[in-house]
């Protein structure tokens, strides 16, 4: 590293193309060279992915609000949506996981699921270094505060956002409030979520 000033690996074997291109552009300055072969054909995707014929989705949960949960945060509307579609994927035999930045939201999603699926809900930090075919990412935050630090808390960190977005092999649904993303006053070197939103508009679908 001292000799080269650092090199960025150009190949990746995990993510499907639209997600790979998005993560590459946002966090590394250019798309990756994709070595992955999809396990699911585009016309045989399960659940919401098949319904909307897209692997990259944002579910816009409008008028939802965050609340406190045991010194953490949860969002009941996002939790119900996430649990419903995670259970649908798991019932189909898919390798699927729900991840979220907050332990409070992990508990809220689990409360809407059969106990046998509890292990399929994890925090972003707890799932770092792991992967799944289908990932549902609940971002939780929805408030009227100003400034990214109060509006998003620790999840404004680009490294944590990178980890959260890059776990999926076959399909990714991000569950959030688009209004909350768009109306954040991002600090310097932040705003990756806004760029990701634009990427989904170009390469995926908002539902």
């Amino acid at each position: 590293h001292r000799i080269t000033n650092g090199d960025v690996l150009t190949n990746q074997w995990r993510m499907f193309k639209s997600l790979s291109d998005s993560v590459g552009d946002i966090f590394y300055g250019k798309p990756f060279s994709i070595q992955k072969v999809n396990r699911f054909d585009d016309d045989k995707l399960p659940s919401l992915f098949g319904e909307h014929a897209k692997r990259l989705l944002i579910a816009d949960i409008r008028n939802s609000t965050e609340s406190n949960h045991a010194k953490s945060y949860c969002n009941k509307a996002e939790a119900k949506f996430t649990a419903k579609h995670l259970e649908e994927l798991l019932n189909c035999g898919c390798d699927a996981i729900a991840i979220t930045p907050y332990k409070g939201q992990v508990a809220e999603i689990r409360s809407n699921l059969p106990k046998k699926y509890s292990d399929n809900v994890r925090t972003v930090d707890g799932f770092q270094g792991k992967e799944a075919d289908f990932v549902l990412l609940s971002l939780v935050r929805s408030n009227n505060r100003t400034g990214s630090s109060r509006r998003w808390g620790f999840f404004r960190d680009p490294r944590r956002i990178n980890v959260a977005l890059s776990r999926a092999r076959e399909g990714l649904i991000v569950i959030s409030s688009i209004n909350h993303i768009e109306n954040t006053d991002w600090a310097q070197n932040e705003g990756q979520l806004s760029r990701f939103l634009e990427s989904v508009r170009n390469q995926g679908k908002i539902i």
Side-chain angles (χ1 to χ4, degrees), residues 131-194:
E131 56 192 61
D133 282 348
F134 298 99
V135 174
L136 298 88
L137 169 60
S138 172
L139 300 188
V140 178
R141 303 308 295 267
S142 183
N143 57 67
N144 294 320
R145 303 184 187 105
T146 58
S148 60
S149 62
R150 299 178 69 244
R151 200 166 173 84
W152 286 97
F154 67 82
F155 193 67
R156 71 190 188 281
D157 185 334
R159 295 166 297 181
R160 187 170 273 112
I161 297 170
N162 188 353
V163 169
L165 294 177
S166 60
R167 302 300 96 197
R169 293 188 292 249
E170 301 290 326
L172 171 68
I173 302 174
V174 176
I175 302 105
S176 186
S177 162
I178 287 178
N179 179 68
H180 194 70
I181 296 173
E182 289 182 326
N183 289 301
T184 297
D185 181 19
W186 298 104
Q188 188 176 5
N189 298 322
E190 296 178 351
Q192 289 80 15
L193 284 176
S194 291

Side-chain angles (χ1 to χ4, degrees), residues 82-102:
T82 304
K84 174 184 176 181
H85 294 289
L86 175 62
E87 184 174 1
E88 190 175 280
L89 285 163
L90 293 171
N91 285 341
C92 292
C94 292
D95 174 32
I97 193 90
I99 59 176
T100 177
Y102 298 97

Side-chain angles (χ1 to χ4, degrees), residues 65-79 99-111 121-124 138-145 147-156 180:
T65 56
E66 66 186 54
S67 55
N68 294 320
H69 187 290
K71 298 182 180 180
S72 184
Y73 290 98
C74 70
N75 184 312
K76 294 181 183 298
E78 284 191 20
I99 59 176
T100 177
Y102 298 97
K103 292 180 179 179
Q105 186 71 342
V106 169
E108 190 67 34
I109 295 170
R110 285 175 175 172
S111 73
V121 187
R122 306 285 294 278
T123 62
V124 170
S138 172
L139 300 188
V140 178
R141 303 308 295 267
S142 183
N143 57 67
N144 294 320
R145 303 184 187 105
S148 60
S149 62
R150 299 178 69 244
R151 200 166 173 84
W152 286 97
F154 67 82
F155 193 67
R156 71 190 188 281
H180 194 70

Side-chain angles (χ1 to χ4, degrees), residues 36-41 44 55 93 95 132-133 169-170:
K36 177 185 181 295
V37 177
N38 290 334
R39 291 181 55 197
F40 289 79
D41 293 334
K44 294 182 180 178
R55 295 177 183 268
D95 174 32
D133 282 348
R169 293 188 292 249
E170 301 290 326

Side-chain angles (χ1 to χ4, degrees), residues 12 15-32 34 56 58 162 165-166 172 192-204:
Q12 71 86 15
M15 295 174 279
F16 56 95
K17 185 179 187 307
S18 53
L19 179 60
S20 178
D21 289 349
S22 178
V23 169
D25 279 334
I26 292 170
F27 296 99
Y28 301 98
K30 62 180 180 180
F32 294 109
I34 302 172
L56 187 60
I58 289 181
N162 188 353
L165 294 177
S166 60
L172 171 68
Q192 289 80 15
L193 284 176
S194 291
R195 293 180 61 190
F196 178 74
L197 173 59
E198 291 308 308
S199 182
V200 175
R201 285 183 168 131
N202 292 329
Q203 302 188 68

